[in-house]
Amino acid sequence: MSKLLKIVDDLETKLTRILGQKSILQEEKSNLLQENSNLQQKLIKQQEIINSLEEKYESLRVANTIVGSKEDKHATKLKINTLIREIDKCIVQLSD
């Protein structure tokens, strides 16, 4: 009988330890999920900043080509012509 009581006590001790570990792991999971969420938000903000800087870079590049050499002016004219064609396509689609 005492052998059975010892087995039950051991099981109870192990169960208590496992439940304690479960609580710790649940708390750690919660913290990791929160950290993941924070990092995703930070990543989105960083991507927005990158997109904004890319747009500014493109604007500066076009502005510099206007001021720059003949080769740069040619590239700018091509870009302007492309934009005009895109605008014309939009006008045609709106008039349909």
Side-chain angles (χ1 to χ4, degrees):
M1 190 71 153
S2 70
K3 191 174 186 179
L4 186 60
L5 287 174
K6 177 157 178 40
I7 292 173
V8 170
D9 285 340
D10 288 344
L11 284 174
E12 186 177 343
T13 303
K14 288 179 182 179
L15 182 60
T16 303
R17 190 179 70 229
I18 289 172
L19 290 175
Q21 289 174 344
K22 179 185 175 216
S23 295
I24 291 169
L25 290 173
Q26 285 176 330
E27 185 177 330
E28 186 178 342
K29 177 185 174 187
S30 176
N31 291 339
L32 289 172
L33 288 173
Q34 181 64 37
E35 182 180 355
N36 185 12
S37 176
N38 291 341
L39 289 172
Q40 286 178 346
Q41 290 175 358
K42 186 175 181 179
L43 178 64
I44 289 170
K45 288 179 184 177
Q46 293 295 327
Q47 191 61 43
E48 289 172 355
I49 290 170
I50 288 171
N51 291 340
S52 172
L53 290 173
E54 285 175 346
E55 289 174 8
K56 288 179 182 179
Y57 170 76
E58 182 63 22
S59 296
L60 284 173
R61 191 182 66 75
V62 170
N64 284 337
T65 57
I66 291 172
V67 176
S69 67
K70 282 187 175 184
E71 294 169 2
D72 291 337
K73 287 181 183 179
H74 179 70
T76 303
K77 286 180 183 179
L78 292 176
K79 179 71 174 178
I80 290 171
N81 286 338
T82 302
L83 291 173
I84 290 173
R85 281 193 292 275
E86 288 179 18
I87 291 170
D88 288 341
K89 286 179 186 177
C90 290
I91 291 171
V92 168
Q93 287 178 352
L94 288 173
S95 64
D96 286 343

